[in-house]
Amino acid sequence: MGETNTTKMNSDNLREDGNKHFKSGDYETALSCYTKALRLSDDKKDAAILHRNRSACYLKLEDYAKAEDDASKALEVDGGDVKALYRRSQALEKLGKLDQAILDLRRCLTLEPKNKVFQDAVRNLGVRTQEQVQLMSSTDSRVDQMFQILLDPEEKDVEKQKKAAQNLVVLSREDAGAEKIFRSDGVRLLQRMLETKKTDMMLAALRTLVGLCTGHQSRTVSILSAVGMETFCAVMAVDNEPVSLAACSVLHAMFDALKEGMTKDIRGKEAAVVLDPSKELKSMIHHLLEMLTQPSVSSHGRENSLNLLIKVVPRKSLRDPNNGMTLWVIDNGLKKILEVGGSLTEIPGSLPVTETTRMSASVLLNKLFDDLRCEAERENFHKLCEDYVRSLFENHGMDGKLRAIQTVSCLLQGPFEAGNRTLELSGIMDSIITLCASEREIDQQVAVEALIHAAGKAKRASFITANGVTLLKDMYKKNENDAIRIRALVGLCKLGSAGGTDFSMKQFAEGSTLKLAKQCRKWLCNESIQSGTRRWAVEGLAYLTFDADVKEEFVEDKDALQAMFSLAKSQDKTVIFAVASTLVNCTNSYDREEIDPQMLELAKYAKQHVPEEHPKDKKEFVEARVCKLLVAGVVSALVCMVKNESPALTDSSRELISRVFLALVQKSEDRGNVVAQGGGKALIPLALEGTEVGKTKAAQALAKITITSNPEIAFPGERIYEVIRPLVSLLHLTCTGLQNFESLMALTNLAGISERLRSKIIKEKAVPMIEGYMFEEHEMIRVAATECMCNLTMSQEVQERFMVEGSDRLKLIVLYCGEDDERLRRAAAGTLAMLTSLESKICQRVTQVTAHWLEILQALLLGENIELQHRGGIVVLNMMAADKELAKILMESEIFEILTVLAKNEEDEKKRPVSRAAQECLNKAVEYGLIKPNLPSESD
């Protein structure tokens, strides 16, 4: 019997602890207490209350499925538990189950008709669900009627059909609605809609199918079997961009459902999971590869097929050891991808392609190559590419040679190692030079573009400088076709920039690069030229803006800047890399190696080449250029570039954009402007995906914004939680000291806002790294880490770390309170004040960690800094409140006299907080009977 009572007491104590934590906003600790209490409780009613309390915690932590589950368990014991009913209704609403949520609310109102909270909740939810409830009630028995309206050839009411189509799509996005459509012979009827060939009908059918497939593996397999991959590919192949894109979305949803399985909380027989979907996946990919080389497929269909392959074939993470799908695609489809990359619509019999299609082929080739794990796999890739190019070049006449050279260009823009290998094949380079002098426009165009891509490496650039510059100059000066002239100009630009930013390594005579840049700007601003051709003007500037004189002239040319930004926002996404490269050059945000002065002298002595910086690349010029770009609207252009989901937004492009953003937020006064135009939102995906350098640059830009802006305004809503992971990544030892410092400053700001943000920082495993930086030799980093820890100590989990036996954490904080550095003392004293106010056991431990604890507290109270005095006073007050014996030790030391003096500063407004803290300490001592009250007569 005694044991049962003890268990009940422990369960009750844990519940009380949980209630305290819940009230203080520490929902995770509260949840832990209730869970432990549940394990100890045998009483059904007690268990119901604990389940109800856990439901409240899960609601706060936004785990709505578990909140619903716990509330339901409480209701199983007591169906009239109003609190449990209300909590379940809140969870159901968040899960999108509005019809069930309103039923629970109505039951609450039946039980407590006068409860205003329930009345308001029913009214608000009723407004939100009115249309949906009407739709669901009407479609419960009338899904077939919607299909009748859509499929009736006699139906003349277009608006009625549009409304039916819209209702069908909306319905498919709800789990229950999707299931109703599926079970009402919906798939067959959707097929009939596709067969009408009417754009509106097809779009409605495809968007409905996206809803049916999203997150539901068994429905996806059933739809795939009923409709057939051939049908989906045929729809995606049509020369109708919206329809092709919608079909692509269906297939993407299918791939995700097959790969991920069930991602939604759907119960019943339709929730069966296909254990091994690899057969279906391989079949789908086979059909996509076949589409690539079918002449009947439109350019949109071919591009969408490539985009799907980019998204679904390579591994999501290199930690996954299985790259079998990539190897299978290389063996079965590499030649098909190369055929697309080498297609030229000007040659009879070629596949219909666009510039974007060829760019997508380059990106896919690069993704496949990057996904290879060993040298043998890479060698096989090289051999397949070389065999394909050699066969085209040698066996298919003049057109074959042209397509072979175009394929080499495609490889040079993707896996350039493979491109360089094919470039070395016998006859390729000679043919490129020869074709520059051809009379056919397409020959010249392909050859010049190949020269541009081939000149990427120094040895190749020097060969082309020796053999191709004269040809390019002739083409630029004498050719009457702007499309050829502009490409020849880009070739000259690329060769002219071979020295990079090195002022002393100029390929051409003084002023030549400025003339070329002027012509590029002129073409860029000429709207009568096709955007595909104007893109090459930006390519030229991407090379020429290595020259600081060109940068200065370009940022002064407002029309040219606006023309470039308009191109960046346009549908032609192949321009992204060139725009980003130009902006990196203008903002000097590329990596520059600092030269050791001693090594410089040695190099001069040895008569070796020494790189020189252009006078206009100095800091003041760069800052002025950044300012002009901001005024011109560079941020909105960058935001548009990031929003784009095209394969043209490669990891390299992301890195360049991140570099530009970092340059734009260097000055604190510019950060508000960047945030206001959407820069903060755009930086988050850049910090989470891309190259390591790119992610780090974007994370550093986020840190700078978080330090000087109000994070809740800069990153509203849920976005603020997405910022934490990038910031924590800057704490790694591979990052620079400045990045560590800025990360700590930013995390300090976030940790001071809410418990949920502190929990997120803890979850990202930042605390051990922050503790490590508290031992850092660099003074500013050490202070920043201590300040960050000060804010984090508001979290129970962090407090517990200071209680661990054998840990020196508390000792370090106490010792830092006695350091000379005022900022460090202030941060440490703040941390100690926080810890001693929240955990009484820590007050006892302060006296054990160092023999100098009293001297340190005295020094805090005697310091000239009022803030330090106040924090010292709070620590003493907390220690006195925690234990009478501890208070006795303090009152028997010099601290008693110090407090007596400090308590007399009540009239000085600045010192009033210190005075009050000191007075509270003395009042506590009086309460304990350690000192006598200071009566008015005595004080007189």
Side-chain angles (χ1 to χ4, degrees):
M1 188 73 181
E3 190 177 324
T4 306
N5 288 336
T6 305
T7 302
K8 178 161 176 57
M9 279 177 63
N10 288 338
S11 174
D12 290 345
N13 290 341
L14 282 164
R15 192 171 92 192
E16 285 303 316
D17 287 347
N19 293 345
K20 286 176 188 173
H21 289 302
F22 187 88
K23 284 174 185 173
S24 69
D26 189 354
Y27 306 118
E28 288 196 346
T29 308
L31 181 64
S32 175
C33 290
Y34 295 141
T35 303
K36 287 174 186 173
L38 262 172
R39 293 192 196 115
L40 295 172
S41 178
D42 294 326
D43 186 89
K44 277 191 174 182
K45 287 187 178 179
D46 285 349
I49 293 168
L50 289 165
H51 278 299
R52 187 179 72 195
N53 290 358
R54 282 209 319 182
S55 178
C57 291
Y58 283 127
L59 282 171
K60 292 291 186 183
L61 294 168
E62 299 180 15
D63 192 339
Y64 303 117
K66 287 182 180 175
E68 180 203 351
D69 194 47
D70 263 331
S72 296
K73 284 176 181 172
L75 289 165
E76 284 170 14
V77 178
D78 178 6
D81 186 336
V82 176
K83 285 185 179 178
L85 270 170
Y86 183 57
R87 282 167 195 170
R88 188 168 73 175
S89 76
Q90 289 176 296
L92 288 165
E93 182 184 348
K94 292 291 185 182
L95 290 167
K97 301 174 183 178
L98 304 185
D99 49 345
Q100 295 175 46
I102 206 155
L103 285 174
D104 277 353
L105 275 174
R106 283 172 183 161
R107 283 177 65 193
C108 289
L109 208 51
T110 304
L111 293 164
E112 293 186 15
K114 294 182 180 178
N115 189 314
K116 196 170 184 308
V117 173
F118 298 157
Q119 289 171 357
D120 291 344
V122 168
R123 187 163 48 252
N124 293 337
L125 192 59
V127 170
R128 277 191 57 212
T129 58
Q130 188 176 6
E131 280 188 28
Q132 191 177 15
V133 169
Q134 286 175 353
L135 176 64
M136 294 301 284
S137 61
S138 65
T139 55
D140 202 15
S141 58
R142 293 176 57 222
V143 168
D144 56 333
Q145 288 181 27
M146 274 195 277
F147 279 117
Q148 276 181 2
I149 293 166
L150 290 165
L151 295 169
D152 183 0
E154 303 299 319
E155 182 62 65
K156 299 286 191 283
D157 191 338
V158 177
E159 285 303 315
K160 191 176 177 183
Q161 283 193 321
K162 277 185 181 177
K163 185 69 177 172
Q166 186 182 350
N167 287 348
L168 202 61
V169 175
V170 170
L171 194 63
S172 71
R173 290 172 183 162
E174 297 287 336
D175 296 335
E179 197 61 23
K180 281 173 190 167
I181 294 170
F182 184 74
R183 291 185 178 182
S184 303
D185 197 23
V187 177
R188 184 183 64 81
L189 295 167
L190 289 167
Q191 274 184 272
R192 283 184 56 196
M193 288 173 67
L194 289 174
E195 288 162 7
T196 64
K197 306 296 183 188
K198 294 178 181 176
T199 298
D200 288 345
M201 287 282 193
M202 295 178 81
L203 287 173
L206 292 165
R207 287 166 184 165
T208 303
L209 284 165
V210 170
L212 296 184
C213 293
T214 299
H216 204 298
Q217 198 180 61
S218 60
R219 270 205 304 257
T220 297
V221 172
S222 178
I223 292 167
L224 195 56
S225 173
V227 179
M229 188 65 186
E230 295 83 358
T231 301
F232 286 118
C233 287
V235 175
M236 194 162 78
V238 299
D239 193 13
N240 181 326
E241 191 173 1
V243 170
S244 179
L245 192 60
C248 177
S249 297
V250 176
L251 290 175
H252 196 194
M254 286 181 157
F255 272 112
D256 284 348
L258 288 173
K259 280 185 165 185
E260 305 300 330
M262 292 293 293
T263 58
K264 292 188 177 181
D265 186 22
I266 306 167
R267 298 181 177 91
K269 64 179 181 181
E270 285 301 321
V273 176
V274 180
L275 295 177
D276 183 12
S278 57
K279 185 181 174 185
E280 284 84 359
L281 288 168
K282 198 167 276 189
S283 169
M284 290 171 76
I285 288 169
H286 170 74
H287 279 90
L288 292 177
L289 290 171
E290 289 298 310
M291 274 186 75
L292 294 181
T293 52
Q294 288 171 0
S296 59
V297 175
S298 69
S299 58
H300 304 304
R302 191 165 284 105
E303 194 171 324
N304 285 325
S305 179
L306 286 167
N307 292 351
L308 270 174
L309 290 166
I310 289 166
K311 289 171 183 172
V312 302
V313 174
R315 291 171 290 172
K316 296 289 182 192
S317 168
L318 295 179
R319 288 192 291 271
D320 176 4
N322 183 11
N323 68 340
M325 193 60 80
T326 292
L327 297 176
W328 186 82
V329 167
I330 289 170
D331 288 339
N332 293 275
L334 183 63
K335 290 184 179 179
K336 290 180 170 64
I337 301 164
L338 290 170
E339 187 177 337
V340 175
S343 288
L344 295 160
T345 49
E346 295 83 355
I347 294 177
S350 274
L351 299 169
V353 294
T354 63
E355 284 284 344
T356 314
T357 315
R358 288 200 291 261
M359 170 67 81
S360 297
S362 292
V363 172
L364 176 55
L365 289 165
N366 198 48
K367 292 265 186 187
L368 294 172
F369 188 77
D370 285 347
D371 202 36
L372 299 177
R373 294 180 304 169
C374 63
E375 203 52 49
E377 291 175 358
R378 284 186 277 273
E379 192 55 41
N380 176 56
F381 187 96
H382 288 313
K383 188 176 184 305
L384 288 169
C385 291
E386 287 170 24
D387 289 348
Y388 177 82
V389 171
R390 190 184 292 112
S391 172
L392 257 185
F393 189 77
E394 293 175 355
N395 304 322
H396 294 82
M398 195 61 218
D399 286 349
K401 284 181 167 53
L402 209 55
R403 283 170 55 206
I405 292 167
Q406 183 63 45
T407 306
V408 171
S409 284
C410 176
L411 285 165
L412 285 166
Q413 292 175 85
F416 63 87
E417 288 177 41
N420 281 332
R421 291 260 300 247
T422 54
L423 198 60
E424 301 298 330
L425 293 173
S426 176
I428 296 284
M429 200 67 223
D430 292 334
S431 288
I432 291 172
I433 298 294
T434 305
L435 285 170
C436 282
S438 170
E439 291 182 5
R440 265 203 322 178
E441 180 186 327
I442 184 62
D443 294 348
Q444 294 178 0
Q445 186 172 313
V446 170
V448 173
E449 286 184 22
L451 275 180
I452 292 165
H453 300 309
K457 294 203 171 183
K459 64 171 186 176
R460 191 53 57 193
S462 60
F463 172 82
I464 295 166
T465 303
N467 295 276
V469 168
T470 306
L471 276 172
L472 288 171
K473 280 184 178 177
D474 283 345
M475 292 168 79
Y476 171 57
K477 289 176 181 176
K478 297 174 185 177
N479 204 300
E480 294 178 5
N481 188 320
D482 275 346
I484 301 299
R485 287 188 69 211
I486 202 165
R487 285 166 172 81
L489 175 61
V490 173
L492 290 169
C493 291
K494 190 164 186 178
L495 296 170
S497 67
T501 58
D502 183 356
F503 184 46
S504 62
M505 284 275 288
K506 292 299 163 195
Q507 299 284 331
F508 298 130
E510 189 71 33
S512 294
T513 49
L514 282 171
K515 286 178 186 174
L516 293 173
K518 189 175 181 181
Q519 183 59 55
C520 279
R521 299 203 312 273
K522 184 179 173 184
W523 266 321
L524 179 58
C525 295
N526 187 349
E527 292 185 7
S528 64
I529 299 174
Q530 285 184 342
S531 63
T533 302
R534 286 165 65 212
R535 170 177 73 85
W536 285 96
V538 186
E539 294 271 359
L541 289 167
Y543 300 123
L544 292 175
T545 45
F546 280 123
D547 186 314
D549 288 317
V550 174
K551 299 177 200 185
E552 286 294 314
E553 285 194 4
F554 182 49
V555 297
E556 291 292 344
D557 189 338
K558 292 178 183 176
D559 291 338
L561 283 177
Q562 289 305 321
M564 185 175 81
F565 294 159
S566 296
L567 273 180
K569 296 174 185 178
S570 71
Q571 292 299 310
D572 181 9
K573 300 305 177 186
T574 56
V575 76
I576 287 176
F577 187 83
V579 172
S581 299
T582 305
L583 292 171
V584 164
N585 291 341
C586 288
T587 57
N588 284 35
S589 48
Y590 39 73
D591 288 328
R592 284 173 295 174
E593 198 173 326
E594 295 296 326
I595 302 169
D596 187 322
Q598 287 183 318
M599 294 302 292
L600 183 62
E601 290 303 316
L602 283 170
K604 286 179 180 176
Y605 180 75
K607 295 185 179 177
Q608 290 183 348
H609 172 69
V610 179
E612 291 178 25
E613 184 182 55
H614 195 291
K616 290 180 182 175
D617 272 332
K618 296 192 183 301
K619 187 181 177 183
E620 59 270 25
F621 284 94
V622 176
E623 286 181 352
R625 288 200 293 267
V626 167
C627 186
K628 286 168 187 171
L629 287 169
L630 283 166
V631 170
V634 66
V635 177
S636 62
L638 291 172
V639 169
C640 278
M641 288 157 73
V642 175
K643 276 183 186 174
N644 163 52
E645 289 185 13
S646 161
L649 185 64
T650 58
D651 287 349
S652 301
S653 300
R654 286 173 179 276
E655 181 184 318
L656 294 174
I657 294 169
S658 297
R659 287 176 180 276
V660 178
F661 265 125
L662 182 56
L664 297 177
V665 298
Q666 285 299 323
K667 293 173 78 174
S668 58
E669 57 265 34
D670 293 331
R671 292 169 195 169
N673 182 16
V674 172
V675 170
Q677 294 181 57
K681 182 180 178 182
L683 277 164
I684 294 172
L686 291 173
L688 295 171
E689 190 179 339
T691 65
E692 288 306 315
V693 171
K695 289 192 289 187
T696 301
K697 300 281 183 190
Q700 193 176 0
L702 284 171
K704 287 178 184 290
I705 289 169
T706 310
I707 290 166
T708 54
S709 310
N710 180 341
E712 291 174 289
I713 295 172
F715 310 106
E718 293 299 298
R719 207 172 294 150
I720 195 169
Y721 301 99
E722 296 175 48
V723 175
I724 291 170
R725 183 170 295 171
L727 294 179
V728 172
S729 71
L730 293 178
L731 293 177
H732 293 130
L733 295 173
T734 51
C735 295
T736 64
L738 177 61
Q739 288 163 348
N740 299 154
F741 173 72
E742 289 180 333
S743 168
L744 290 164
M745 295 275 284
L747 288 169
T748 301
N749 269 4
L750 293 174
I753 293 172
S754 73
E755 180 56 32
R756 192 177 160 206
L757 279 167
R758 288 190 287 275
S759 296
K760 178 70 174 167
I761 293 169
I762 294 164
K763 277 182 189 171
E764 292 295 337
K765 300 177 182 173
V767 176
M769 290 188 276
I770 295 166
E771 286 177 341
Y773 286 114
M774 287 172 71
F775 292 93
E776 174 68 39
E777 285 184 24
H778 195 290
E779 196 173 87
M780 290 177 72
I781 294 177
R782 191 166 69 241
V783 171
T786 309
E787 286 177 338
C788 190
M789 188 58 70
C790 178
N791 283 354
L792 284 171
T793 49
M794 287 186 272
S795 181
Q796 175 75 27
E797 196 172 326
V798 176
Q799 293 162 28
E800 288 170 0
R801 294 176 75 89
F802 284 88
M803 292 299 298
V804 175
E805 289 297 328
S807 160
D808 283 335
R809 294 185 181 97
L810 187 60
K811 180 179 181 179
L812 182 70
I813 292 295
V814 175
L815 291 174
Y816 276 179
C817 288
E819 284 284 309
D820 293 333
D821 185 291
E822 194 170 281
R823 273 190 67 191
L824 182 61
R825 289 176 75 198
R826 194 164 65 239
T831 308
L832 193 58
M834 186 71 68
L835 286 169
T836 52
S837 69
L838 295 167
E839 190 60 71
S840 58
K841 292 176 187 173
I842 286 178
C843 297
Q844 288 285 359
R845 288 202 63 196
V846 169
T847 64
Q848 299 160 10
V849 292
T850 172
H852 304 288
W853 68 274
L854 260 176
E855 296 167 36
I856 290 168
L857 287 180
Q858 288 169 14
L860 284 175
L861 293 168
L862 289 168
E864 293 180 6
N865 186 300
I866 294 172
E867 194 176 353
L868 274 175
Q869 283 185 328
H870 182 244
R871 292 183 181 192
I874 296 296
V875 173
V876 172
L877 177 60
N878 292 337
M879 291 175 75
M880 291 185 69
D883 186 73
K884 184 177 178 180
E885 288 302 313
L886 202 49
K888 187 178 180 184
I889 295 169
L890 288 164
M891 288 299 100
E892 288 174 353
S893 71
E894 291 178 24
I895 282 180
F896 171 56
E897 292 174 30
I898 298 168
L899 291 172
T900 306
V901 173
L902 292 175
K904 293 176 180 176
N905 291 325
E906 180 69 30
E907 291 179 10
D908 188 331
E909 192 176 338
K910 288 182 181 178
K911 295 181 180 179
R912 197 170 292 156
V914 180
S915 170
R916 286 178 181 170
Q919 189 58 57
E920 282 185 56
C921 291
L922 295 172
N923 292 345
K924 200 72 187 171
V926 171
E927 186 185 318
Y928 285 145
L930 300 173
I931 60 172
K932 291 181 181 179
N934 191 6
L935 298 173
S937 58
E938 292 174 351
S939 60
D940 291 337

